[in-house]
Amino acid sequence: MRPNPPLAAVLTLCASALVAGTTLFAKMLGTDTLGAPLHPLQVSQGRFLFALMAFSTAALVLRPRFTRPAWSTHVLRVLCGWGGVSFMFAAAAFIPLADATAISFLNPVVGMLLAVPFLGEKVGRVRISAAVIALVGAMVLLRPTPQAFQPAALLALGAALCLGAEVVVIKRLSGREGAFQILLINNFIGACIASLAALAVWQMPTPSQWAALAGLGLLMASAQTCFLQAIRRADASFVAPFWYAALIFAALYDFLLFAEVPDAVSALGALIIVSGAGLLAWREARLRPSAASPSGSAPTPQAAPPLSPPAPPQSQSPEPRR
């Protein structure tokens, strides 16, 4: 496919808006906005189930060719992605969307650190500096003082840890299987795991909640599709900065629907995390050319922010979350 950077930028902005929209739906479902709050595990089930319906329908129409999948690797990847999605949706119900999104952007840093023991990668001074900067930003957002500490922010931190582990597993799938196959298998396994986990807490959604669950799944599927199309038209290092627009969209949605305005601490913490992740993305772009490779939870970058809910491009394997 011929390079088309302007279109890639537009597609990435669309993907970031859609992923931020999934956290908005999760917040509506996790609060009493549409009825009795649904458990995050049930919200996660809806995300995977309706996304699976979308990709299955596309598979029936497109009839893509499949190769033999690495099932064990897929299962491990989905467990990490499902955990990240569930934590993220739980966090969205309690803290501002912009804060939850910013903290989840730590996932490329976590992935980088985990790649040292599990993939044998070496970490230089620039990468260590980027990790320290991002972690400082996370501490700012966590507000670690008795008066301002947000316990729910730890849920977003858990999402970042799970999605960071997912980045490591995604690297094992990179280049081995087709993009559509990875997305379809990811959502199939995710729907099975999420459905089993939601059995103990499942309750009948209201009509509005059913619509929101369907919208959440379709938004995630659309975001993954937009991001994969973007990464086919430009390098990951080019589209990565546009993914940070998810912070802007999350803050905008929060303001329009819940009248929440990010305070100075939130803005400072988000800026620090983006600076750290941006430094990591710049370093990865200089080290080697990027190559696209899908994942199912949400676009996730190795050197830039994260899809398994919010999730941006990876220097070598993109992903829109989880």
Side-chain angles (χ1 to χ4, degrees):
M1 183 172 293
R2 296 181 59 183
N4 191 336
L7 179 58
V10 171
L11 288 170
T12 306
L13 288 173
C14 290
S16 66
L18 292 169
V19 168
T22 65
T23 58
L24 173 64
F25 275 122
K27 183 165 187 171
M28 295 171 67
L29 290 162
T31 59
D32 57 3
T33 304
L34 302 175
L38 298 183
H39 195 281
L41 292 179
Q42 185 173 352
V43 178
S44 179
Q45 178 202 28
R47 169 260 181 269
F48 280 103
L49 190 60
F50 284 101
L52 174 62
M53 291 181 183
F55 284 117
S56 298
T57 302
L60 292 174
V61 175
L62 301 176
R63 297 184 178 278
R65 296 181 61 183
F66 295 128
T67 58
R68 184 176 179 178
W71 288 108
S72 59
T73 307
H74 277 288
V75 170
L76 180 58
R77 174 215 183 290
V78 172
L79 284 173
C80 295
W82 166 73
V85 167
S86 299
F87 277 127
M88 187 66 187
F89 288 166
F94 298 106
I95 62 176
L97 295 182
D99 285 12
T101 302
I103 295 174
S104 73
F105 279 179
L106 282 173
N107 88 78
V109 175
V110 174
M112 178 197 72
L113 296 177
L114 291 178
V116 175
F118 292 106
L119 298 178
E121 295 186 359
K122 296 182 179 180
V123 179
R125 287 177 295 178
V126 174
R127 289 182 175 182
I128 293 176
S129 300
V132 171
I133 292 172
L135 290 174
V136 168
M139 292 303 296
V140 172
L141 283 176
L142 287 173
R143 296 168 169 82
T145 63
Q147 296 77 21
F149 177 64
Q150 301 182 91
L154 294 176
L155 295 171
L157 185 59
L161 294 174
C162 289
L163 296 175
E166 184 186 23
V167 169
V168 176
V169 182
I170 288 171
K171 294 192 70 175
R172 294 186 176 275
L173 286 174
S174 299
R176 299 181 182 181
E177 301 178 25
F180 188 87
Q181 176 173 318
I182 293 178
L183 289 174
L184 183 61
I185 292 176
N186 170 78
N187 285 282
F188 170 72
I189 299 177
C192 294
I193 294 175
S195 295
L196 289 174
L199 284 177
V201 297
W202 200 90
Q203 66 187 59
M204 179 61 70
T206 65
S208 297
Q209 289 174 330
W210 275 119
L213 288 169
L216 192 160
L218 293 176
L219 283 182
M220 185 61 74
S222 300
Q224 291 174 320
T225 301
C226 285
F227 186 79
L228 289 173
Q229 290 300 317
I231 213 68
R232 294 177 64 190
R233 292 170 170 80
D235 290 343
S237 58
F238 171 80
V239 303
F242 295 98
W243 187 258
Y244 294 109
L247 276 172
I248 299 175
F249 287 116
L252 178 62
Y253 298 158
D254 230 3
F255 173 72
L256 292 177
L257 275 81
F258 299 99
E260 291 198 37
V261 180
D263 57 18
V265 175
S266 295
L268 176 61
L271 179 61
I272 294 174
I273 288 179
V274 169
S275 298
L279 175 61
L280 187 57
W282 171 80
R283 176 60 174 170
E284 293 300 313
R286 288 176 60 88
L287 285 177
R288 55 183 177 272
S290 47
S293 121
S295 89
S297 38
T300 316
Q302 172 189 352
L307 190 251
S308 227
Q314 185 172 0
S315 180
Q316 278 201 324
S317 30
E319 144 102 345
R321 124 42 128 43
R322 354 263 245 241

